[in-house]
Amino acid sequence: MTISQSQLTPPPCLNASALTDLHENQYAIIDDFLPLSFANQLLDDANRLYAQNYFQQHYFQFGGSLLKKPNIHELDLTDPKIASRRQQQQQQQQSSRIDLGQWENVIQSLGPSFVSKINELESHLQRRRQKQHPNSTCHPFPPLSLDTQTPPAIKLQLNTGGGSFPWHYDNPGPPNQRSLTCVVYLNPHWKDGDGGEIVLWPFLSPSRKITPLHRRAVLFWSDRVLHRVLPSRSDVKRVCFSMWCHGERGVVNSKEETVLSKDVLRFGSYDEAEAFFRRSALQRVISRAVYGEEYLESLLECL
């Protein structure tokens, strides 16, 4: 089935309302993010690539150790080695070249157009705020400043049952340049009790458990939203892909967002300190002290 160009661009539901949710709640949930036929073809191609052994076992760094996450497999679609191999094979016109199917359209069209659309909506939102509050210099969260010259990093993930992730930030600190995370789910048969939900925990705020429904996208700040993935049932396969949008150089992981100095800690009240750390990426410096028990519990659960 041929996919039209209009199906490869961000949907109408990615709008000013969704971006307002992102700023006010630190996350946004967008259903029907992909056309049904496109999502189904992506899932078919993901299953084929998995059967062809293109996926790799996932490992993660914890302290000085490299740990294996059982039942979690992934394919980095923007890995330079994969891109180079794909390009070389295409140039040589080999019949055995890597066939990514519709995932090529995610890399070439959907990803870059998503970044452009977010920047367009952000510019509109900032103009509206300035018009409504011309004398205000303080916003709940900083403006998104995405690098439109850098395509998003895209990773396809397939969990074969029971796989989970501990609490973490997608951008733990320098030299990481991730600013915005978008996770899109491809699970047409998911039902209550299957597990695999993502749990977002905006700092010092209530957590939110979100089901991985087919064609649902979840957007959140890469450097400000602690999150984890709950275990799925042993007989349930969970598929998703993530797009990590890079921020402009000098904006993401600046000194002000990574160095906790005595000058920063001059708060007049607990409420003032809470408001500051909720909106600042400096929360990453103290999150393991604040949520130490939760970090350890989730880590043990995913091993």
Side-chain angles (χ1 to χ4, degrees):
M1 182 181 296
T2 303
I3 300 295
S4 66
Q5 189 60 36
S6 63
Q7 292 179 292
L8 303 177
T9 57
C13 49
L14 179 58
N15 51 30
S17 177
L19 206 63
T20 299
D21 285 345
L22 181 65
H23 278 278
E24 293 182 353
N25 304 321
Q26 302 185 51
Y27 63 87
I29 302 170
I30 304 175
D31 288 327
D32 302 328
F33 184 79
L34 298 174
L36 180 59
S37 59
F38 186 35
N40 290 342
Q41 288 185 60
L42 288 175
L43 180 58
D44 289 343
D45 286 329
N47 287 324
R48 173 179 55 80
L49 290 165
Y50 179 73
Q52 293 172 341
N53 297 317
Y54 283 114
F55 282 70
Q56 297 181 337
Q57 171 66 52
H58 179 84
Y59 292 84
F60 72 103
Q61 191 80 30
F62 187 81
S65 302
L66 191 64
L67 304 177
K68 176 181 177 180
K69 282 205 187 82
N71 304 314
I72 296 180
H73 311 274
E74 57 191 19
L75 176 59
D76 191 341
L77 297 175
T78 47
D79 186 320
K81 291 181 292 185
I82 293 177
S84 175
R85 181 180 172 190
R86 187 170 71 247
Q87 183 180 31
Q88 182 182 28
Q89 291 175 333
Q90 287 173 341
Q91 289 173 347
Q92 295 174 351
Q93 296 183 343
Q94 294 180 356
S95 59
S96 60
R97 70 180 179 87
I98 300 175
D99 178 13
L100 294 179
Q102 292 300 334
W103 291 102
E104 286 282 3
N105 286 322
V106 174
I107 299 168
Q108 302 296 335
S109 298
L110 180 63
S113 62
F114 173 78
V115 174
S116 297
K117 183 64 175 180
I118 289 290
N119 264 9
E120 175 189 325
L121 292 170
E122 180 66 24
S123 296
H124 173 75
L125 180 62
Q126 294 306 323
R127 288 195 300 268
R128 188 177 67 184
R129 280 180 171 174
Q130 183 61 31
K131 185 176 181 180
Q132 294 174 343
H133 309 284
N135 299 320
S136 176
T137 58
C138 180
H139 300 299
F141 293 94
L144 272 171
S145 300
L146 300 185
D147 180 2
T148 56
Q149 301 304 309
T150 302
I154 304 173
K155 184 174 288 187
L156 172 58
Q157 185 185 109
L158 189 150
N159 299 1
T160 53
S164 64
F165 282 80
W167 292 109
H168 67 283
Y169 292 93
D170 280 353
N171 182 341
N176 199 307
Q177 287 294 303
R178 293 174 180 174
S179 182
L180 178 67
T181 298
C182 175
V183 185
V184 184
Y185 295 100
L186 301 172
N187 304 301
H189 306 300
W190 189 92
K191 61 184 182 300
D192 287 340
D194 283 351
E197 298 93 343
I198 188 171
V199 186
L200 307 181
W201 204 346
F203 201 64
L204 301 177
S205 301
S207 62
R208 172 74 186 273
K209 183 168 71 172
I210 303 169
T211 53
L213 298 181
H214 196 43
R215 302 160 62 208
R216 168 172 284 176
V218 180
L219 282 61
F220 55 91
W221 297 82
S222 304
D223 57 355
R224 288 171 172 81
V225 176
L226 192 64
H227 60 286
R228 67 160 305 189
V229 176
L230 298 177
S232 57
R233 271 181 21 203
S234 59
D235 59 339
V236 171
K237 182 168 63 177
R238 174 183 176 275
V239 181
C240 68
F241 69 95
S242 298
M243 298 189 290
W244 291 286
C245 307
H246 294 79
E248 294 181 347
R249 292 283 177 180
V251 176
V252 179
N253 284 329
S254 64
K255 182 178 179 180
E256 293 75 17
E257 299 285 7
T258 55
V259 179
L260 185 60
S261 67
K262 63 180 184 300
D263 293 330
V264 171
L265 298 174
R266 293 175 178 172
F267 303 113
S269 66
Y270 174 85
D271 289 344
E272 184 180 335
E274 178 183 3
F276 171 83
F277 280 110
R278 284 190 66 246
R279 68 174 182 269
S280 172
L282 274 172
Q283 64 181 254
R284 296 172 296 180
V285 178
I286 64 172
S287 68
R288 293 207 177 191
V290 175
Y291 299 117
E293 292 183 4
E294 290 83 358
Y295 266 101
L296 180 58
E297 181 182 0
S298 68
L299 176 63
L300 294 175
E301 194 172 45
C302 78
L303 294 178

